[in-house]
Structures are given as C-alpha cells and as structure tokens.
Amino acid sequence: MKRRTLLATAAMGLALAGSPAFAQDKPKIAFVYVGPVNDGGWSQHHHEAAMKMKEHFGDAIEVIEQESVPEGADAERVLTQMALSGADLIFTTSFGYMDATINVAAKFPDVKFEHATGYKTADNVSAYSARFYEGRAITGYLAGAMTKSNKIGYIGSFPIPEVIRGINSSFLHARKANPNVEMSVVWLSTWFDPAKEADATQALLDQGVDVVLAHTDSTAPLAVLEKAGGFGFGQAGDMYDYAPQPRISSIIDEWAPYYIDRVQAIIDGTWASQNVWQGIGDGMVGIGEITGPVPEDVKATVLKMKDDIASGAYHPFTGPINKQDGSAWLAEGEVAEDGVLAGMDFYVEGLTAEIPH
C-alpha cells in the first residue's frame, strides 16, 4: 500500500473515531487492564465489573477489552488503536495510564475517557477512584488485633499517594488495636508480579511478621501465607478461596455501578468530565466477610468503624496525628483535607520505613 493511501486510511479512521454516531450503530465501550483478567485481584475485578455492566445493557452496547498492557508507551499505542477502531468510551484502569490517557484524549476530542485512580482530567477525560484508605483502616485494625509477634508487614506497589495513604491508614488503625505494633514495608515497583509478591511475603515472614497486608494485584501473598502460616487480606477482590484463613477479610472494589452510570451517560448524550472519589458510604469500597479466628469483640469494633465511616461519623485520618519526623500534622479532632490526602507523600509518626524516591 502506498504512503498516501495509508495516510488516507488513517485519516478516515480518525474521522470515524471522531464521529461515533457514524462509526457504529451502538456505543463501543473499551477497557484496558494492567494485568491479566484472571489475576484474582485488581484487573479481574475491573473485568468482572465490565461484564456486569455489559449484562446490564445487553446488545445495546459493544464491549472490547485488552489485558496485560504495560504502563507507558504500550498503553498509548493500545489506546490509540481503540480510539481508531471507533470506541466511544475508553476506561483506563491503572494509575500509570494517566499520562497516556491524557495524551491520546487530546488527539481524539470526540472520544470519552475514564481514568481510574488518577487526578488529571480534560474536557473528554474523567478521573475516578475509591477511598481505599477507608477499607485499609478496617484491615489495619484487624492486622493489629491479630498479630501475636507485634510485627505486621505491608507490600507496596509504587510510592504514589494512593498507596502511601493505605500504608498510613493501615498502620494508624493497627496501632489503635495494638499500640505495640511495628510495621515493615516492602516496595516492589510493580502492580502484578506473583513471584515478587510471593518472595516479599516470605521475606516478611522471615523477619517475624505474622500478618501481611498488600497493595499489589495477585493472590500470591495469600498463597504463601496459607502454606507458611499467618494472616492476610483480599485485595481489590474478595479472594474468598483463601478463607476462613489466611484471608480474614478483604477490601472489595465495587466498580460496576459506576461503569453502568457512565455508559448510560454516553447513551443519553449527557456524559461530562468529572473527578469522582467515593468510599464505603457510596458503595465503591466494600469489606469482605470477616473470617477465621477473629474474636467477636474485634469484629464488633471494626464493623462499627465501618458503619461510622459510611455515615461520616468517623474519618480514618482524624487528629491528633503527627508526621513521621514528629512534626504536627493534625490537631486533636482535626480531619485531613482531601487535597492533602490526594497528594500524600509522607509517613505518619511511628512508621520507621522510608518512602523510595
């Protein structure tokens, strides 16, 4: 094919992508995942939410998906291909897709984009995320209550505010259950690498840790805990296959209602850019059944905490809280502002680990 023919074909593709009403009879909805759709956690749960959304609309829409797309240049290539194929709405479901989403959205102003857990928006780009730190207050308290060694561990993915908030929330509430708790943090620089996640879990166990929290996407930490002993939690999905233990509860992301609302907006022609951050009270963050040998009084405490968070009676970041260096952050009764939480780049007092740069 000659070069000018290629250019003409590309131009036609761009024109069709910019006029979805002529590109297909029904909206085409696209999803991009950072991991495989059977990872047992983050990507699988987004995929399952997408399928619930598809079931809701039936043949009124078309859904396309691409799994295991690395963040960076590969993501930009995949998003461009989806836009050229006539996608009307593209959900990009990992923090590291943020710049790729913004870049591709600028080239396709008539295609709508929804980016998960980021903060950048444009006229055709929305951001949506969940207040995971609310759920981590629950699992953190359970971790503090269930440790026998007073040592708990946390497997972090990337040192972004979302993950740092989770570490701080977990630690603060572990200390509420057990003031003697110490937390070790391991950073993996990946969202999904079962081998690394398993090695990190074993390394924490070797240090005397007996409860492990994770902010990575696979079930590998629970698999190690099942063999070696100790307690852990479902992450993103319920991971109930590991109950009643080592999994003693879980943080569950509930994306399906959001996906249904946003696709309905495309159908209705009412879609508009927004920045959404919802938590337990909104139903975007769920807590899995508490299983295993968790004492009844501990269950009662965390379930009340969950209800209080949902009603707004309790905020997980309520002072007094100092920063790691001992300087004051929140005074007695003071509640953290969303703007500070959104950019959180510091540990709270009592954490001895360092944030990688």
Coordinates of all heavy atoms in Angstrom, one line a residue, residues 297-337:
D297 N -15.3 -9.5 69.8 CA -15.3 -8.1 70.1 C -14.5 -7.3 69.1 O -14.8 -6.1 68.8 CB -14.6 -7.9 71.5 CG -13.2 -8.4 71.6 OD1 -12.9 -9.4 70.9 OD2 -12.4 -7.9 72.4
V298 N -13.5 -7.9 68.5 CA -12.8 -7.3 67.4 C -13.7 -7.1 66.2 O -13.7 -6.0 65.6 CB -11.5 -8.1 67.0 CG1 -10.8 -7.4 65.8 CG2 -10.6 -8.1 68.2
K299 N -14.4 -8.1 65.8 CA -15.4 -8.0 64.7 C -16.4 -6.8 65.0 O -16.6 -6.0 64.1 CB -16.2 -9.3 64.6 CG -15.5 -10.4 63.9 CD -16.6 -11.6 63.7 CE -15.9 -12.8 63.2 NZ -16.9 -13.9 63.0
A300 N -16.9 -6.8 66.2 CA -17.9 -5.7 66.5 C -17.2 -4.4 66.4 O -17.9 -3.4 65.9 CB -18.4 -6.0 67.9
T301 N -16.0 -4.2 66.8 CA -15.3 -2.9 66.7 C -15.1 -2.5 65.3 O -15.4 -1.3 64.9 CB -13.9 -3.0 67.4 OG1 -14.1 -3.3 68.8 CG2 -13.2 -1.7 67.3
V302 N -14.7 -3.4 64.4 CA -14.4 -2.9 63.1 C -15.7 -2.8 62.3 O -15.8 -1.9 61.4 CB -13.5 -3.9 62.3 CG1 -12.1 -3.9 63.0 CG2 -14.0 -5.3 62.2
L303 N -16.7 -3.5 62.6 CA -18.0 -3.3 61.9 C -18.6 -2.0 62.3 O -19.2 -1.3 61.4 CB -18.9 -4.5 62.2 CG -18.5 -5.8 61.5 CD1 -19.5 -6.9 61.9 CD2 -18.5 -5.7 60.0
K304 N -18.5 -1.6 63.5 CA -18.9 -0.3 63.9 C -18.1 0.8 63.3 O -18.6 1.8 62.8 CB -18.9 -0.1 65.5 CG -19.4 1.2 65.9 CD -19.4 1.4 67.4 CE -20.1 2.7 67.8 NZ -19.6 3.9 67.2
M305 N -16.8 0.6 63.2 CA -15.9 1.5 62.5 C -16.4 1.7 61.0 O -16.5 2.8 60.5 CB -14.5 1.1 62.5 CG -13.5 2.1 61.9 SD -11.8 1.4 61.8 CE -11.5 1.0 63.5
K306 N -16.7 0.6 60.4 CA -17.2 0.6 59.0 C -18.5 1.4 58.9 O -18.6 2.3 58.0 CB -17.4 -0.8 58.5 CG -18.1 -0.9 57.1 CD -18.5 -2.3 56.8 CE -19.4 -2.4 55.5 NZ -20.0 -3.7 55.3
D307 N -19.4 1.2 59.8 CA -20.7 1.9 59.8 C -20.4 3.4 60.0 O -21.0 4.3 59.4 CB -21.6 1.4 60.9 CG -22.1 0.0 60.5 OD1 -22.0 -0.4 59.3 OD2 -22.6 -0.7 61.4
D308 N -19.5 3.7 61.0 CA -19.2 5.1 61.3 C -18.5 5.8 60.1 O -18.8 7.0 59.8 CB -18.3 5.2 62.5 CG -19.1 4.9 63.8 OD1 -20.4 4.9 63.7 OD2 -18.5 4.7 64.8
I309 N -17.7 5.1 59.4 CA -17.0 5.7 58.2 C -18.1 5.9 57.1 O -18.2 7.0 56.5 CB -15.9 4.8 57.6 CG1 -14.7 4.7 58.6 CG2 -15.5 5.2 56.3 CD1 -13.7 3.7 58.2
A310 N -19.0 5.0 57.0 CA -20.0 5.1 55.9 C -21.0 6.3 56.2 O -21.4 7.0 55.3 CB -20.9 3.8 55.9
S311 N -21.3 6.5 57.5 CA -22.2 7.6 57.9 C -21.5 9.0 57.9 O -22.2 10.0 58.0 CB -22.8 7.3 59.2 OG -21.9 7.4 60.3
G312 N -20.2 8.9 57.9 CA -19.5 10.2 58.1 C -19.2 10.5 59.5 O -18.6 11.6 59.8
A313 N -19.5 9.7 60.5 CA -19.3 9.9 61.9 C -17.8 9.8 62.3 O -17.4 10.3 63.3 CB -20.1 9.0 62.8
Y314 N -17.1 9.0 61.4 CA -15.6 8.8 61.7 C -14.9 8.9 60.4 O -15.3 8.4 59.4 CB -15.4 7.4 62.3 CG -14.0 7.1 62.5 CD1 -13.2 7.8 63.5 CD2 -13.3 6.1 61.8 CE1 -11.8 7.5 63.6 CE2 -12.0 5.8 62.0 CZ -11.2 6.5 62.9 OH -9.9 6.3 63.1
H315 N -13.7 9.6 60.5 CA -12.8 9.7 59.4 C -11.5 9.1 59.8 O -11.0 9.4 60.9 CB -12.6 11.2 59.0 CG -11.8 11.4 57.7 ND1 -10.5 11.1 57.5 CD2 -12.2 12.0 56.5 CE1 -10.2 11.4 56.3 NE2 -11.2 11.9 55.7
P316 N -10.9 8.2 58.9 CA -9.7 7.5 59.3 C -8.5 8.4 59.6 O -7.6 8.0 60.3 CB -9.4 6.6 58.1 CG -10.8 6.3 57.5 CD -11.5 7.6 57.7
F317 N -8.5 9.6 59.1 CA -7.4 10.5 59.4 C -7.9 11.6 60.2 O -8.2 12.7 59.7 CB -6.8 11.0 58.1 CG -6.0 10.0 57.3 CD1 -6.5 9.4 56.2 CD2 -4.7 9.6 57.8 CE1 -5.7 8.4 55.5 CE2 -4.0 8.6 57.1 CZ -4.5 8.0 56.0
T318 N -8.1 11.3 61.5 CA -8.6 12.3 62.5 C -7.5 12.5 63.5 O -7.0 11.5 64.1 CB -9.9 11.8 63.1 OG1 -10.9 11.7 62.1 CG2 -10.4 12.8 64.2
G319 N -7.1 13.7 63.8 CA -6.1 14.0 64.8 C -6.4 13.7 66.2 O -7.6 13.4 66.5
P320 N -5.4 13.6 67.1 CA -4.0 14.0 66.8 C -3.2 13.0 66.0 O -3.2 11.9 66.3 CB -3.4 14.2 68.2 CG -4.2 13.2 69.0 CD -5.5 13.2 68.5
I321 N -2.6 13.5 64.9 CA -1.6 12.7 64.1 C -0.4 13.5 63.8 O -0.6 14.6 63.3 CB -2.3 12.2 62.8 CG1 -3.5 11.3 63.1 CG2 -1.3 11.3 62.0 CD1 -4.3 10.9 61.9
N322 N 0.8 13.0 64.1 CA 2.0 13.7 63.7 C 2.6 13.0 62.4 O 2.3 11.8 62.1 CB 3.0 13.6 64.8 CG 2.6 14.5 66.0 OD1 1.9 15.4 65.9 ND2 3.2 14.1 67.2
K323 N 3.4 13.7 61.8 CA 4.2 13.2 60.7 C 5.3 12.3 61.2 O 5.6 12.3 62.4 CB 4.7 14.3 59.7 CG 3.6 15.0 59.0 CD 4.2 16.1 58.0 CE 3.1 16.8 57.3 NZ 3.6 17.8 56.3
Q324 N 6.0 11.6 60.3 CA 7.0 10.6 60.7 C 8.1 11.3 61.5 O 8.7 10.7 62.4 CB 7.6 9.9 59.5 CG 8.6 8.8 59.8 CD 9.1 8.2 58.5 OE1 9.4 8.9 57.5 NE2 9.3 6.8 58.5
D325 N 8.5 12.6 61.1 CA 9.6 13.2 61.8 C 9.1 13.9 63.1 O 9.9 14.6 63.8 CB 10.2 14.3 60.9 CG 9.2 15.4 60.5 OD1 8.0 15.4 61.1 OD2 9.5 16.3 59.7
G326 N 7.9 13.6 63.6 CA 7.4 14.2 64.8 C 6.7 15.5 64.8 O 6.2 16.0 65.7
S327 N 6.8 16.1 63.6 CA 6.1 17.4 63.5 C 4.6 17.2 63.4 O 4.1 16.2 63.0 CB 6.6 18.1 62.2 OG 6.3 17.4 61.0
A328 N 3.9 18.2 63.9 CA 2.4 18.1 64.0 C 1.8 18.1 62.6 O 2.2 18.9 61.7 CB 1.9 19.3 64.8
W329 N 0.8 17.3 62.4 CA 0.0 17.3 61.2 C -1.4 17.7 61.5 O -1.9 18.8 61.1 CB 0.1 16.0 60.4 CG -0.7 15.9 59.2 CD1 -1.0 16.9 58.3 CD2 -1.4 14.8 58.7 NE1 -1.9 16.5 57.3 CE2 -2.1 15.2 57.5 CE3 -1.6 13.4 59.1 CZ2 -2.9 14.3 56.8 CZ3 -2.3 12.6 58.4 CH2 -3.0 13.0 57.2
L330 N -2.1 16.8 62.2 CA -3.5 17.1 62.5 C -3.6 17.3 64.0 O -3.2 16.4 64.8 CB -4.4 15.9 62.1 CG -4.4 15.7 60.5 CD1 -5.2 14.4 60.3 CD2 -5.0 16.9 59.8
A331 N -4.3 18.3 64.5 CA -4.5 18.6 65.9 C -5.7 17.7 66.4 O -6.4 17.0 65.6 CB -4.9 20.0 66.1
E332 N -5.9 17.6 67.7 CA -6.9 16.8 68.3 C -8.3 17.1 67.6 O -8.7 18.2 67.5 CB -7.0 17.1 69.8 CG -8.2 16.4 70.5 CD -7.8 14.9 70.7 OE1 -6.6 14.6 71.0 OE2 -8.7 14.1 70.7
G333 N -8.9 16.0 67.0 CA -10.2 16.2 66.4 C -10.2 16.7 65.0 O -11.2 16.8 64.3
E334 N -9.0 17.2 64.5 CA -8.9 17.8 63.2 C -9.0 16.6 62.1 O -8.3 15.6 62.3 CB -7.7 18.6 63.0 CG -7.6 19.3 61.7 CD -6.3 20.1 61.6 OE1 -5.4 20.0 62.5 OE2 -6.1 20.8 60.5
V335 N -9.7 16.8 61.0 CA -9.8 15.8 60.0 C -9.0 16.3 58.8 O -9.0 17.4 58.4 CB -11.3 15.6 59.6 CG1 -11.4 14.8 58.4 CG2 -12.0 15.0 60.8
A336 N -8.3 15.3 58.1 CA -7.4 15.6 57.0 C -8.3 16.1 55.8 O -9.4 15.6 55.6 CB -6.7 14.4 56.6
E337 N -7.8 17.1 55.1 CA -8.5 17.6 54.0 C -8.2 16.7 52.8 O -7.1 16.2 52.6 CB -8.0 19.1 53.6 CG -8.3 20.1 54.7 CD -7.8 21.5 54.4 OE1 -7.1 21.6 53.4 OE2 -8.1 22.4 55.2

